[in-house]
Amino acid sequence: MTTSQTTRRTVLGGLAAVAALGLPAATGTAAAAPVRDGRPGPKIGILLYDGFSLLDPTGPAELLSRLPGATVTMIGERRGPVRTDTHRTAVFADRAVSEVDRLDVLLVPGAGDRGTIGAMHNPVLLDWIRRIHRHTTWTTSVCTGALILGAAGLLRERATTYWASAPYLEATFGVEYVPERYVQVGKVITAAGVSAGIDMALFLAGKLAGEEVARAVQLAVEYDPRPPFDAGDAATASPQLKELALRLLAESQQ
Amino acid sequence: MTTSQTTRRTVLGGLAAVAALGLPAATGTAAAAPVRDGRPGPKIGILLYDGFSLLDPTGPAELLSRLPGATVTMIGERRGPVRTDTHRTAVFADRAVSEVDRLDVLLVPGAGDRGTIGAMHNPVLLDWIRRIHRHTTWTTSVCTGALILGAAGLLRERATTYWASAPYLEATFGVEYVPERYVQVGKVITAAGVSAGIDMALFLAGKLAGEEVARAVQLAVEYDPRPPFDAGDAATASPQLKELALRLLAESQQ
């Protein structure tokens, strides 16, 4: 059976097997790159909190986990499963905030109304974010995560966030909303809504590991986006489409 | 304090609060859309298996969960956390395959070498995929998930998969590899690597709920991709970049 042959070829290892399958061999390949343990790469921590939006942390995690020597850790108020805004999915927090004192990179994802407001009023989370921020190389957010950074007092001058939260961002934190995929001010990088975390992560990969590695990461996740529609930009969306978008979100987050 | 005022405005509900915050109100808003319970929308099941790649299921889940009346369920061999290819993240399988007899949409994500080979040789998973496929409206895959569909005997004529697995796909399953973001053959839709699941999910959203809803979903997740580099297409990548990409993957999947 062909698939059995595949197993034997892969288990035997070697460049031939890697080339034949086209997949990176798990272990034992003669030409394997240096073992990652002992290579100090960026320690990246992604905060998870109840009601977060699934793609906000997972898009960046997928990309950033490919950086040489990087460790990407999901961190929650406690260890264990953290539910998303739809209640129908959970991602595991492998560490609690009390166990993490230092990160090179912090990422705060966004959420729907319930999750964002909850996090903005959670002194444990805000306090931890402020403490970690003191020593990060980069402090980042996706979507309404920028509002949480704002609640922690970390926004200056300009930022971006979920398109529908732009007025709130400006009114509440006195920073200018910038309609870009991501905005860097000093060591703080804020990203636009949900899917923008992937573009931001690629930018961050370039900052952390150089452009050549970032380009390789982009190829590794085959990120050559070609959406079948062209409706993702709020600046050109009709009021009706905006209303429908927000209604679909609200219905899915009940 | 401004954030306290926000809480009071949101708790009181009403269009003004929704508009001010720019976020969909969680519950109790006078102008809330119809309650989702009782509205039969597409039942979407996403298979999780040990060693899967994080973005493959979570990108599509984020988008498809916004379809009216849709339920998106993560399904594993057993209930509980399922680890990704980096070992450093886990997504919770809320159902076991033994508990799911019927789906409108099945999605099989991809993985690295270890996860893909494991799933391709797992008779429980392959058997379940075949049984579910009999009654789906759409059977889909992301990345090397196409190889798993192939192992289940579900590929015909043409398909796409992770770029590095193209030769293996053709040699093993006798279908033509198509270098597109996604390929539809009958009710089977295969997608290219990792991030391509998002483009495929948008296409699928249009099929399930019509173009206007799909465009609203695109806006809801602000999917207006603008990557800082242009290196995601394997067709134009140098051999060196391909080698670096596969090496980064292999190192992160050890």
Side-chain angles (χ1 to χ4, degrees):
Chain A
M1 204 181 93
T2 313
T3 47
S4 297
Q5 290 168 346
T6 303
T7 304
R8 288 196 293 274
R9 287 201 326 246
T10 308
V11 168
L12 288 174
L15 279 174
V18 175
L21 192 58
L23 299 171
T27 55
T29 305
V35 171
R36 200 167 48 142
D37 296 297
R39 286 181 57 190
K43 289 185 180 12
I44 300 162
I46 299 180
L47 179 66
L48 300 180
Y49 55 89
D50 190 51
F52 74 96
S53 293
L54 182 61
L55 185 54
D56 290 26
T58 57
E62 174 71 49
L63 270 70
L64 297 173
S65 67
R66 312 304 172 189
L67 294 178
T71 53
V72 177
T73 307
M74 300 294 186
I75 305 164
E77 219 171 324
R78 297 159 207 87
R79 291 193 184 192
V82 185
R83 287 270 138 193
T84 66
D85 54 358
T86 64
H87 304 283
R88 295 198 64 88
T89 304
V91 178
F92 223 76
D94 280 346
R95 291 288 181 272
V97 290
S98 58
E99 301 177 271
V100 181
D101 291 329
R102 203 109 171 177
L103 291 171
D104 298 314
V105 179
L106 168 65
L107 188 144
V108 179
D113 189 55
R114 176 178 61 86
T116 303
I117 300 282
M120 286 173 68
H121 286 84
N122 188 323
V124 173
L125 295 185
L126 295 183
D127 191 59
W128 180 78
I129 289 170
R130 279 186 287 258
R131 280 189 288 112
I132 291 292
H133 173 71
R134 272 190 229 128
H135 302 289
T136 55
T137 310
W138 300 101
T139 295
T140 71
S141 67
V142 183
C143 201
T144 64
L147 306 183
I148 301 166
L149 292 189
L154 304 188
L155 297 183
R156 300 280 181 275
E157 302 172 26
R158 303 180 321 276
T160 193
T161 182
Y162 188 55
W163 59 267
S165 305
Y168 180 79
L169 175 86
E170 293 196 330
T172 312
F173 302 115
V175 297
E176 176 196 352
Y177 166 74
V178 181
E180 298 290 333
R181 292 306 270 170
Y182 45 86
V183 172
Q184 180 195 341
V185 177
K187 70 173 188 175
V188 176
I189 311 174
T190 51
V194 195
S195 63
I198 296 172
D199 292 333
M200 189 265 285
L202 207 47
F203 171 76
L204 183 58
K207 292 287 186 188
L208 290 167
E211 181 168 329
E212 196 58 8
V213 167
R215 293 176 73 248
V217 168
Q218 185 175 14
L219 182 60
V221 299
E222 207 161 359
Y223 184 45
D224 181 42
R226 281 177 257 160
F229 312 107
D230 185 26
D233 184 3
T236 56
S238 69
Q240 293 81 3
L241 196 70
K242 286 181 177 178
E243 194 205 316
L244 180 57
L246 294 180
R247 184 146 45 90
L248 292 177
L249 276 175
E251 287 188 47
S252 62
Q253 289 165 344
Q254 281 182 0
Chain B
M1 204 179 90
T2 312
T3 46
S4 296
Q5 292 170 343
T6 304
T7 307
R8 287 197 294 275
R9 291 203 318 251
T10 309
V11 166
L12 288 175
L15 279 174
V18 175
L21 191 61
L23 298 172
T27 54
T29 305
V35 172
R36 201 164 49 138
D37 297 297
R39 286 180 57 191
K43 290 187 179 11
I44 300 163
I46 299 181
L47 179 65
L48 300 181
Y49 56 88
D50 190 51
F52 73 94
S53 293
L54 183 61
L55 185 53
D56 290 27
T58 58
E62 173 72 49
L63 271 70
L64 297 173
S65 66
R66 313 304 174 188
L67 294 178
T71 53
V72 177
T73 306
M74 299 294 185
I75 305 163
E77 220 170 323
R78 293 156 215 88
R79 290 191 184 191
V82 185
R83 287 269 140 194
T84 67
D85 55 356
T86 65
H87 304 283
R88 292 197 68 87
T89 305
V91 178
F92 223 76
D94 281 346
R95 291 287 181 273
V97 291
S98 59
E99 301 177 271
V100 180
D101 291 327
R102 203 109 171 176
L103 291 170
D104 298 314
V105 179
L106 168 65
L107 189 145
V108 179
D113 190 54
R114 176 178 62 85
T116 303
I117 300 283
M120 286 172 69
H121 286 85
N122 187 324
V124 172
L125 295 184
L126 296 183
D127 189 59
W128 180 79
I129 289 169
R130 280 187 284 257
R131 280 188 289 113
I132 292 291
H133 173 70
R134 273 191 228 128
H135 303 289
T136 56
T137 309
W138 299 101
T139 296
T140 73
S141 66
V142 183
C143 201
T144 64
L147 306 182
I148 300 166
L149 292 189
L154 304 188
L155 296 183
R156 301 280 181 275
E157 298 174 30
R158 301 181 324 275
T160 194
T161 182
Y162 188 55
W163 58 268
S165 304
Y168 181 80
L169 175 87
E170 293 197 330
T172 312
F173 303 114
V175 297
E176 176 197 352
Y177 165 73
V178 181
E180 298 288 335
R181 289 308 268 171
Y182 45 86
V183 173
Q184 178 194 343
V185 178
K187 72 173 188 175
V188 176
I189 311 174
T190 51
V194 194
S195 63
I198 296 172
D199 292 332
M200 188 267 284
L202 208 45
F203 171 76
L204 183 58
K207 293 287 188 189
L208 289 168
E211 182 168 329
E212 196 60 7
V213 167
R215 293 176 72 248
V217 168
Q218 186 175 13
L219 182 60
V221 299
E222 204 161 3
Y223 184 45
D224 181 42
R226 282 177 257 163
F229 311 108
D230 186 24
D233 184 4
T236 57
S238 70
Q240 294 82 2
L241 196 69
K242 287 181 177 178
E243 194 205 317
L244 180 57
L246 293 181
R247 185 145 45 89
L248 293 177
L249 277 175
E251 286 188 45
S252 63
Q253 290 166 344
Q254 279 181 1

